[in-house]
């Protein structure tokens, strides 16, 4: 069957079978009158920005069309996305007017981040590029030339919005996260509004589908508001969108059910009046909800405003090229005139199109005309590209000392239970700058002590609404990640605890965020941010009751693959070390912190002072468990992770009993990065420190919580790799017992003891002569354990 053929531009959706009365659910927002000056300024700003955006995609010279275009004026490689740009510029122009008239703090989050030309053109016109890049993008001929010719080439702005873009708090690559980021940004920012454009392609993604519900977690007494704009231009790269094929009745019914009041903006010949009116109405609705909540009488289930904006894809661009529709079709998604540098007919179309924006009048001499800038806020710090919240917002936490929450050495305590008590105090100390975003797992993960002083913040639940809770639980890891990103990027600190096996759901979100921050760290005008902080618990080692699907430590590898400047992975061995680690991570900046610990009671090996020192070093020799007496050991056994460290300690006890002549050194590693070669990470042990802990003539047996290949990769570059063996999780498990999980993955005390003997006996005749009986004893005990598990469970 041949592919579909678009026989008309901007085809309307098929009519639905919903009753016409459904339209009565839409917002009947009052239409305002625009002054002649404002109406002209909106048009001129849109025209100027569309010209610049189009020129950025195509031109490497003659950027103001001072003469007819020649093939050599066109970039040899055409990169960029035109189709979304006119709609984004339309919204940008109206946000300018809204801010100017109402003195608002607004952030513009652009879901279609590939529409970077629209943002960059607007930022140049408002002078924000000049402020942050004065030598390169001034409001003159040279600055405009640099912007247009440098787009999507080395040394210029990339084709997607990133952290080099003033005003941005969202990486514009992978789609789906803009809405959740927007809601996270306004939490605990009572005067902030985020306008978020969600493209109708992005709206098909799972993360966006869940994020629409974030209004249900927004308390207007303490937080700002989001104005979502669903931009329906009808097409993706080569196909129509789901939302573009829904008529107004269907869209109104869907989003009304979600809790929104929907304003439809679609009349192209009157689009400026409709959009200006809809935005003014939206702000009015927001102010009413906030006023009621802040006076102690919050509206139950407020219908928050949102806008459905219908404009043709590639609006104002070429109508047809080579007989194919461009405007109002998928062909305008990226490059509307694909052969402009090679085909004279295409070049003529390009020139005619760009000339239609009248750049000579609007950008005379490389400077925006007065009519273009009339709608732009006069206060520079209110401009969309210069709001300080977007680039230098960091607020450090008021952290309590963790040691009063510490527990006694040699007792048994849950890392999570004790950490929950500490986090409860963190929340009390920071009622507007700390939040926990979690799937529905706080109780299960034994972090529920925080709920003693701070409830959940779920506004549609009569038992938790309007209570200022610091905890948001929503069963969407994507939403938790997006909310945490928005909250962190606007200056606050957040924590994301999760079952270990399911944190991998947000792997690529975490990577996208890290890319944003990597670039941001090299942008001199951006300030520091809190680290993003993950707690993994309910780990594979204690998910024997939930079975194989709940056993997956792969998120460790995802973090390890980040740049060394960002990646931090901690596996504290006990409750006191976990407390020390959480305290450290919550005050750190610019990292991705992953902390892994047990929710079940486990042994406490170190006092508070010892734990603090151990965590400071990242690894240390545990003399209390070792049998080498401080002398040169025959073998080093290393635990990395709570349960596998317990097995290492127990293995040392076994060896002390059955093979007392074997000198065993026990080492625990709590900061995984210390094992990397000294040149590869700032936390790495120096070569001499590594050799002192792990003597170069001594076999080393690592017992690791994650996949063995991860640790083997970290150790690459250390001396004597041939003497090191690594065991870790092997994708073995099911519904079984905790100790069977150790056995089937070969990280049990018996396997560690066996490895230690076999490694040491190769270079030690005394041990070799005693090894047969010792190994037989170990194998007998392991078989007994297996039989007991099979018969008793």
């Amino acid at each position: 069957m041949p592919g579909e053929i678009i026989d008309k531009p901007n085809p309307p959706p098929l009519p639905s079978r919903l009753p016409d009365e459904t339209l009565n659910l839409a917002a009947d927002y009052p239409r305002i009158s625009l002054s002649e000056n404002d109406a002209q300024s909106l048009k001129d700003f849109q025209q100027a920005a569309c010209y610049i955006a189009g020129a950025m995609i195509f031109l490497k010279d003659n950027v103001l069309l001072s003469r007819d275009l020649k093939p050599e004026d066109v970039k040899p490689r055409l990169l960029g996305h035109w189709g979304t740009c006119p709609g984004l510029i339309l919204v940008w122009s109206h946000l300018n007017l809204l801010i100017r008239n109402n003195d608002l703090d607004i952030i513009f989050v652009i879901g279609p981040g590939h529409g970077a030309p629209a943002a960059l053109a607007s930022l140049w016109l408002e002078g924000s590029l000049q402020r942050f890049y004065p030598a390169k993008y001034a409001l003159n001929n040279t600055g405009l030339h640099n912007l247009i010719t440098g787009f999507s080439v080395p040394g210029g702005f990339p084709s997607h919005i990133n952290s080099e873009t003033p005003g941005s708090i969202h990486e514009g690559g992978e789609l789906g996260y803009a809405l959740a980021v927007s809601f996270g940004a306004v939490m605990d920012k009572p005067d902030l509004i985020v306008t978020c454009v969600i493209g109708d392609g992005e709206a098909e993604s799972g993360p966006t589908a869940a994020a629409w519900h974030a209004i249900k977690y927004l308390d207007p007494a303490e937080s700002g508001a989001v104005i979502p704009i669903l931009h329906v231009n009808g097409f993706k790269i080569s196909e129509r969108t789901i939302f573009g094929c829904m008529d107004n009745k269907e869209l109104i019914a869907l989003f009304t059910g979600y809790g929104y009041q929907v304003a439809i903006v679609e009349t192209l010949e009157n689009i400026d009046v409709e959009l200006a009116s809809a935005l003014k109405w939206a702000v009015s609705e927001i102010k009413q909800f906030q006023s009621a909540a802040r006076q102690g009488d919050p509206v139950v289930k407020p219908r928050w405003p949102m806008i459905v904006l219908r404009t043709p894809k590639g609006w104002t661009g070429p109508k047809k090229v080579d007989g194919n529709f461009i405007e109002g079709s998928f062909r305008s998604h990226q490059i509307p005139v694909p052969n402009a540098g090679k085909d004279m007919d295409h070049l003529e179309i390009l020139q005619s199109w760009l000339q239609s924006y009248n750049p000579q009048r609007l950008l005379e001499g490389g400077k925006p005309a007065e009519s273009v800038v009339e709608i732009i806020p006069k206060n520079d710090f209110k401009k969309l590209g210069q709001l300080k919240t977007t680039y230098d917002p960091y607020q450090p936490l008021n952290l309590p000392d963790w040691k009063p929450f510490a527990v006694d050495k040699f007792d048994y305590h849950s890392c999570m239970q004790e950490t929950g008590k500490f986090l409860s105090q963190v929340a009390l100390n920071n009622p507007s700058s700390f939040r926990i975003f979690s799937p529905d797992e706080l109780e299960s993960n034994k972090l529920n002590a925080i709920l003693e002083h701070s409830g959940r913040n779920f506004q549609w639940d009569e038992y938790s609404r309007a209570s200022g809770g610091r905890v948001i639980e929503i069963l969407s890891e994507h939403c938790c990640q997006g909310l945490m990103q928005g909250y962190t990027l606007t200056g606050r600190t957040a924590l994301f605890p999760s079952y270990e096996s399911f944190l991998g759901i947000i792997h690529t979100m975490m990577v996208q965020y890290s890319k944003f921050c990597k670039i941001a760290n090299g942008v001199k005008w951006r300030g520091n941010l809190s680290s993003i902080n993950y707690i993994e618990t309910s780990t594979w080692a204690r998910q024997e009751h939930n079975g194989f699907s709940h056993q997956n430590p792969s998120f460790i590898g995802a973090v390890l693959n980040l740049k060394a400047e960002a990646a931090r992975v901690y596996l504290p061995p006990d409750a006191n070390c976990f407390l020390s680690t959480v305290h450290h991570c919550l005050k750190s900046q610019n990292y991705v912190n992953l902390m892994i610990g047990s929710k079940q009671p486990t042994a406490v090996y170190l006092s508070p002072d010892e734990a603090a020192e151990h965590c400071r070093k990242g690894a240390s020799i545990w003399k209390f468990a070792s049998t080498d007496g401080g002398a040169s050991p025959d073998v080093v056994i290393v635990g990395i992770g709570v349960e596998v460290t317990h097995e290492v300690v127990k293995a040392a006890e076994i060896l002390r009993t059955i093979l007392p002549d074997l000198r065993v050194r026990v080492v625990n590693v709590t900061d995984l990065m210390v094992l990397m070669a000294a040149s590869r990470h700032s936390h790495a042990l120096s070569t001499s420190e590594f050799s002192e802990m792990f003597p170069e003539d001594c076999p080393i047996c690592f017992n690791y919580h994650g996949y063995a290949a991860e640790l083997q990769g970290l150790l690459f570059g250390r001396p004597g790799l041939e003497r090191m063996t690594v065991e870790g999780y092997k994708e073995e498990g099911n519904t079984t017992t905790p100790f069977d999980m150790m056995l089937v993955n070969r990280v049990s005390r018996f396997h560690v003891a066996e490895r230690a003997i076999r490694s040491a006996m190769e270079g030690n005749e005394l041990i070799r002569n005693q090894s047969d009986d010792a190994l037989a004893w170990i194998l007998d005990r392991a078989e007994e354990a297996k039989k007991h598990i099979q018969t008793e469970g």
Side-chain angles (χ1 to χ4, degrees):
M1 179 179 177
E4 67 270 23
I5 297 174
I6 306 299
D7 63 357
K8 56 180 173 292
N10 204 34
L14 295 171
S16 68
R17 300 178 65 84
L18 290 172
D20 290 343
E21 289 76 13
T22 306
L23 295 171
N24 295 334
L25 295 170
D28 184 17
Y29 56 93
R31 298 327 191 248
I32 64 173
S33 296
L34 291 170
S35 71
E36 186 176 340
N37 283 346
D38 286 348
Q40 187 63 50
S41 185
L42 286 166
K43 287 296 183 189
D44 286 353
F45 183 97
Q46 294 158 19
Q47 293 276 96
C50 281
Y51 173 79
I52 296 170
M56 288 168 68
I57 296 172
F58 286 94
L59 300 185
K60 68 173 184 178
D61 199 3
N62 191 19
V63 299
L64 281 175
L65 306 183
S66 56
R67 53 173 170 76
D68 286 346
L69 285 175
K70 300 177 181 178
E72 53 266 32
D73 294 327
V74 179
K75 294 176 179 177
R77 186 183 185 198
L78 300 178
L79 295 173
H81 295 72
W82 164 251
T84 190
C85 286
L88 295 177
I89 287 167
L90 174 70
V91 174
W92 196 298
S93 68
H94 279 270
L95 293 179
N96 280 337
L97 183 64
L98 190 68
I99 296 167
R100 190 203 71 180
N101 289 347
N102 298 279
D103 196 36
L104 300 172
D105 288 347
I106 292 181
I107 296 174
F108 189 14
V109 171
I110 296 175
H114 49 268
L120 294 167
S122 300
L123 287 164
W124 183 81
L125 289 172
E126 72 178 31
S128 292
L129 290 187
Q130 177 174 257
R131 179 187 171 195
F132 292 111
Y133 302 97
K136 195 168 186 179
Y137 300 120
L139 284 167
N140 56 32
N141 259 323
T142 301
L144 184 59
H145 181 273
N146 290 340
L147 177 63
I148 290 173
T149 62
F151 177 70
S152 277
V153 301
F157 284 109
S159 65
H160 288 63
I161 292 170
N162 72 348
S163 49
E164 295 169 297
T165 310
S168 65
I169 60 166
H170 176 59
E171 180 73 21
E174 189 169 302
L175 298 176
Y177 315 139
L179 192 55
V181 168
S182 299
F183 278 104
V186 300
M187 289 177 178
D188 298 322
K189 292 278 189 182
D191 298 323
L192 181 64
I193 293 175
V194 172
T195 301
C196 178
V197 167
I198 306 99
D200 52 352
E202 177 176 25
E204 297 179 5
S205 66
T208 299
W212 291 109
H213 297 288
I215 51 167
K216 301 172 176 71
Y217 297 88
L218 202 63
D219 184 347
E222 65 190 9
S223 294
V226 176
I227 303 175
I229 299 179
L230 177 62
H231 186 203
V232 182
N233 63 28
F235 290 92
K236 303 186 287 264
I237 291 177
S238 62
E239 187 188 9
R240 297 184 73 183
T241 63
I242 292 173
F243 290 87
C245 291
M246 295 172 70
D247 67 11
N248 286 347
K249 289 185 288 186
E250 291 169 313
L251 293 174
I252 290 165
L254 174 66
F255 289 107
T256 298
Y258 278 2
Y260 291 92
Q261 192 172 7
V262 183
I264 304 293
V265 174
E266 62 179 351
T267 309
L268 296 184
E269 59 270 21
N270 202 33
I271 200 76
D272 285 318
V273 167
E274 285 194 5
L275 186 52
S277 301
L279 285 168
K280 183 176 181 179
W281 160 82
V283 171
S284 175
E285 293 290 297
I286 288 166
K287 296 297 185 184
Q288 288 183 50
F289 296 146
Q290 291 176 340
S291 177
R294 293 168 193 180
Q295 293 175 29
D297 187 23
V299 176
V300 176
K301 293 188 176 181
R303 291 181 63 199
W304 291 95
M306 70 167 287
I307 295 170
V308 172
L309 173 65
R310 290 189 186 271
T311 64
K313 197 173 187 77
W315 190 27
T316 73
K319 305 298 182 186
K320 277 188 172 184
V321 175
D322 294 338
N324 294 313
F325 292 110
I326 303 300
E327 182 190 75
S329 88
F330 64 85
R331 292 185 179 88
S332 66
H333 182 80
Q334 291 177 299
I335 310 298
V337 193
N339 294 312
K342 306 171 186 175
D343 183 306
M344 293 305 294
D345 289 338
H346 280 215
L347 186 64
E348 185 177 334
I349 291 171
L350 174 63
Q351 176 162 313
S352 176
W353 164 39
L354 293 179
Q355 282 283 21
S356 72
Y357 297 120
N358 201 355
Q360 288 81 10
R361 178 179 72 85
L362 298 177
L363 298 166
E364 185 180 2
K367 185 175 181 179
E370 186 60 34
S371 63
V372 171
V373 300
E374 180 64 29
I375 57 167
I376 295 173
K378 300 302 180 278
N379 181 346
D380 283 348
F381 300 105
K382 295 286 186 175
K383 293 176 180 176
L384 290 172
Q386 299 185 42
L387 193 68
K388 190 175 181 182
T389 305
T390 63
Y391 68 90
D392 190 20
Y394 176 61
Q395 304 169 235
L397 290 178
N398 174 19
L399 286 176
D401 183 4
W402 66 268
K403 288 184 179 179
F405 299 88
V407 291
D408 291 338
K409 185 177 177 179
F410 300 134
D411 278 355
Y412 277 72
H413 289 274
S414 161
C415 296
M416 296 302 114
Q417 280 189 330
E418 306 311 319
T419 297
K421 298 171 186 176
F422 171 72
L423 293 175
S424 181
Q425 188 60 50
V426 174
L428 283 173
N429 287 10
N430 302 274
S432 61
S433 57
F434 174 72
R435 285 190 186 245
I436 291 178
F437 300 101
S438 174
D440 182 28
E441 296 163 355
L442 278 184
E443 294 277 355
S444 174
N445 286 334
K446 301 185 185 293
L447 288 164
N448 51 300
I450 189 174
L451 299 175
E452 294 175 8
H453 296 110
S454 177
R456 296 177 176 89
N457 200 322
F458 181 23
Q459 298 305 305
W460 279 36
D461 177 7
E462 63 180 303
Y463 301 109
S464 64
R465 62 185 295 267
S467 61
R470 295 291 87 199
V471 175
I472 288 180
E473 285 193 309
I474 178 172
L475 257 175
S476 164
E477 284 82 0
H478 292 114
C479 276
C480 292
Q481 174 71 20
L483 293 168
M484 176 171 69
Q485 289 180 195
Y487 198 71
T488 303
L489 284 165
T490 48
R492 285 71 60 74
T493 304
L495 186 66
F496 182 170
S498 173
Y499 271 41
E500 177 181 62
S501 57
F502 303 130
L503 203 50
I505 291 169
I506 52 87
H507 175 171
T508 57
M509 285 186 76
M510 179 272 294
V511 171
Q512 291 282 309
Y513 177 84
S514 301
K515 291 178 183 294
F516 184 93
C517 292
K518 174 189 178 295
I519 298 298
N521 289 336
V523 175
K524 60 184 179 181
W525 46 266
R526 282 195 180 266
N528 291 326
L529 295 168
S530 286
S531 303
I532 56 170
N533 303 294
Y534 302 97
I535 289 180
E536 274 189 354
T537 188
S538 296
T539 62
W540 67 265
R542 290 308 308 268
Q543 280 295 298
E544 75 292 336
H545 59 295
N546 274 326
F548 201 29
S549 64
H550 284 56
Q551 298 158 6
N552 176 4
S554 64
F555 195 67
I556 298 173
V559 177
L560 291 178
N561 285 333
L562 302 178
K563 282 286 192 178
E565 293 83 1
R568 302 290 185 269
V569 180
Y570 302 98
L571 297 102
D574 65 13
N576 286 340
C577 290
F578 207 96
L579 284 164
S580 175
T581 301
V582 169
H583 183 273
H584 166 78
C585 289
L586 290 180
K587 67 180 180 181
S588 69
Q589 298 176 352
N590 305 322
Y591 302 140
V592 175
N593 292 319
L594 174 60
M595 299 163 272
I596 304 161
S598 179
K599 68 181 183 182
Q600 304 297 346
T602 56
V604 179
Y605 304 105
L606 304 177
S607 69
D609 289 341
E610 290 168 341
E613 181 63 12
H614 180 53
C615 291
R616 186 188 67 80
K617 292 180 177 179
S620 60
I621 299 167
W622 281 8
K623 294 181 180 179
F624 70 87
S626 302
T627 62
D628 62 350
S632 179
D634 296 316
V635 64
V636 179
I637 55 178
V638 187
I640 311 175
V642 176
E643 291 85 2
V644 294
T645 292
H646 181 68
E647 295 304 303
V648 165
V649 172
K650 290 300 181 182
E653 291 178 6
I654 290 171
L655 293 170
R656 183 184 293 110
T657 301
I658 67 172
L659 204 57
D661 290 330
L662 180 66
R663 296 190 304 274
V664 179
R665 173 175 292 179
V666 174
V667 169
N668 176 261
V669 175
T670 184
D671 178 352
L672 199 53
M673 302 335 220
V674 302
L675 297 176
M676 295 180 75
S679 62
R680 293 170 57 201
H681 200 282
S682 60
H683 286 197
L685 296 171
S686 68
T687 301
S688 61
E689 290 169 334
F690 189 88
S691 297
E692 184 178 348
M693 188 172 292
F694 307 105
E696 293 188 16
D697 59 349
C698 182
I700 308 168
C701 303
F702 288 96
N703 218 36
Y704 175 52
H705 176 85
Y707 293 103
E710 296 165 351
L711 189 56
Q712 291 163 344
L714 283 182
L715 291 165
F716 186 79
R718 290 297 188 180
L721 290 178
E722 70 282 352
R723 66 202 168 97
M724 302 178 191
T725 61
V726 178
E727 295 289 352
Y729 178 66
K730 294 180 175 58
E731 288 292 335
E732 295 291 344
N734 212 317
T735 302
T736 180
T737 70
F739 190 64
D740 194 35
M741 290 298 296
M742 300 292 104
L743 289 168
V744 297
N745 287 285
R746 301 187 62 80
V747 290
S748 75
R749 61 200 67 182
F750 302 126
H751 291 101
V752 175
E754 179 188 359
R755 287 167 59 207
I757 293 171
R758 293 190 185 281
S759 297
M761 60 188 277
E762 293 183 12
N764 189 317
E765 185 175 356
L766 175 64
I767 301 304
R768 187 161 55 249
N769 292 336
Q770 302 175 36
S771 63
D772 287 348
D773 289 344
L775 290 171
W777 185 93
I778 289 170
L779 292 174
D780 287 345
R781 299 292 85 72
E783 283 302 313
E784 289 176 8
K786 291 177 184 177
K787 289 177 182 178
H788 180 81
I789 291 167
Q790 291 167 358
T791 58
E792 302 297 331

